[in-house]
């Protein structure tokens, strides 16, 4: 049995179509491939003899739940509330803005030490804020029950950005 002979033009057309198909498939995989979430729950294991990591008792990252967990008194004038937790619940990053005249009420109502001008207590990156904020940073930290609180304030126009990192006390 003899195979049909393809002309050079037909081969080039088939090769071009195959290349185009592979490029389209590659683009689709790049765009959709990174957002997959595991369907089964994930667990964190530790080596034998290693104590498990302390975690935050975090059932929700809403403003009310965060306030209860960390003993924060977030004033009604707070806006732009965002929170992000690590998957293993060992850290919660929180940010919101306040009118400048409500910062003292937030600090006092939360029982926080007065933030010290020029003091950085948060030195890592978060998906919620810039590593190096623009403006004068004031910061302080303490613990509240089982939670360690690091708080920074940064002026942003007529409001003040509050940046908070919560972590469990070991």
């Amino acid at each position: 049995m003899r195979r049909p002979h393809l002309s050079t033009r037909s081969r080039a057309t088939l090769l071009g179509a195959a290349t185009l198909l592979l490029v389209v498939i590659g683009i689709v995989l790049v765009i959709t491939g990174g957002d997959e979430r595991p369907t089964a729950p994930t667990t964190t294991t530790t080596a034998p003899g290693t104590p498990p990591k302390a975690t935050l008792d975090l059932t929700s990252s809403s403003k009310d739940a965060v306030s209860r967990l960390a003993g924060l008194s977030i004033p009604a004038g707070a806006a732009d509330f965002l929170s992000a937790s690590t998957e293993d619940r060992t850290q919660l990053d929180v940010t919101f803005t306040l009118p400048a005249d409500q910062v003292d009420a937030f600090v006092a109502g939360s029982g926080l030490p007065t933030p010290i001008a020029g003091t950085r207590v948060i030195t890592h990156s978060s998906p919620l804020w810039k590593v190096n904020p623009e403006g004068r940073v004031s910061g302080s930290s303490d613990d509240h029950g089982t939670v360690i609180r690091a708080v920074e304030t940064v002026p942003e126009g007529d409001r003040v950005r509050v940046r908070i990192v919560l972590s469990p006390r070991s």
Side-chain angles (χ1 to χ4, degrees):
M1 189 161 185
R2 192 170 173 192
R3 292 192 308 185
H5 179 65
L6 293 176
S7 69
T8 303
R9 180 181 231 166
S10 295
R11 285 184 199 160
T13 302
L14 284 175
L15 184 58
T19 302
L20 180 61
L21 179 64
L22 289 174
V23 167
V24 169
I25 290 171
I27 290 171
V28 168
L29 289 175
V30 167
I31 291 172
T32 63
D35 292 334
E36 293 180 13
R37 297 278 180 189
T39 55
T42 59
T43 59
T44 303
T45 58
T46 56
T50 304
K53 290 181 183 178
T55 59
L56 293 168
D57 185 19
L58 188 63
T59 55
S60 168
S61 59
S62 70
K63 187 187 314 184
D64 290 337
V66 170
S67 294
R68 280 190 303 277
L69 172 71
L72 299 173
S73 179
I74 302 173
D80 307 316
F81 181 89
L82 296 171
S83 63
S85 177
T86 56
E87 189 174 324
D88 63 359
R89 295 186 340 206
T90 58
Q91 180 175 308
L92 178 67
D93 297 341
V94 178
T95 188
F96 53 88
T97 62
L98 290 173
D101 63 353
Q102 290 188 2
V103 173
D104 291 339
F106 164 69
V107 170
S110 301
L112 291 163
T114 302
I116 300 168
T119 301
R120 297 277 316 261
V121 294
I122 302 171
T123 57
H124 69 281
S125 178
S126 170
L128 303 180
W129 57 69
K130 302 173 199 165
V131 177
N132 296 309
E134 297 171 11
R136 185 139 173 98
V137 176
S138 297
S140 65
S141 62
D142 71 351
D143 59 8
H144 176 79
T146 61
V147 178
I148 298 170
R149 311 181 296 181
V151 179
E152 291 181 348
T153 60
V154 183
E156 284 187 1
D158 62 342
R159 297 185 67 85
V160 174
R161 166 84 42 203
V162 178
R163 302 166 11 139
I164 303 170
V165 174
L166 305 174
S167 55
R169 193 168 67 184
S170 303

